Amino acid sequence: MEAVAYVRERGFEPSEIERDEHGFVYLVFSPLPDSQCRTLAQALPIHLSAKIGFAMNGAPPFTTPDQNDR
């Protein structure tokens, strides 16, 4: 709940909260424009051992054009 409160304070609301069989919690967010992905990544609570992963269509965010060709 601390992680949810942390991202809410920064203007992001998880669309789903999932927990796996090992007790790991996953915050799932609705699709965002590329321009907001960096802001969301910065809003995630790294101090709570957050790991960040993005699922998207097209090129991943935060890359240079030559990295997109790989």
Side-chain angles (χ1 to χ4, degrees), residues 2-64:
E2 186 178 346
V4 173
Y6 190 85
V7 295
R8 282 180 178 156
E9 289 171 6
R10 285 148 183 83
F12 294 96
E13 182 70 30
S15 59
E16 295 179 48
I17 301 171
E18 300 176 0
R19 183 181 300 267
D20 70 12
E21 66 276 1
H22 302 289
F24 292 105
V25 175
Y26 300 88
L27 303 182
V28 179
F29 297 89
S30 296
L32 295 170
D34 289 349
S35 61
Q36 290 184 7
C37 288
R38 180 180 296 272
T39 306
L40 173 58
Q42 292 171 338
L44 294 171
I46 301 301
H47 67 285
L48 296 176
S49 298
K51 304 247 189 263
I52 301 169
F54 287 91
M56 61 181 43
N57 293 324
F62 323 130
T63 60
T64 60

Side-chain angles (χ1 to χ4, degrees), residues 63-70:
T63 60
T64 60
D66 63 325
Q67 290 175 313
N68 293 337
D69 294 332
R70 295 180 188 171

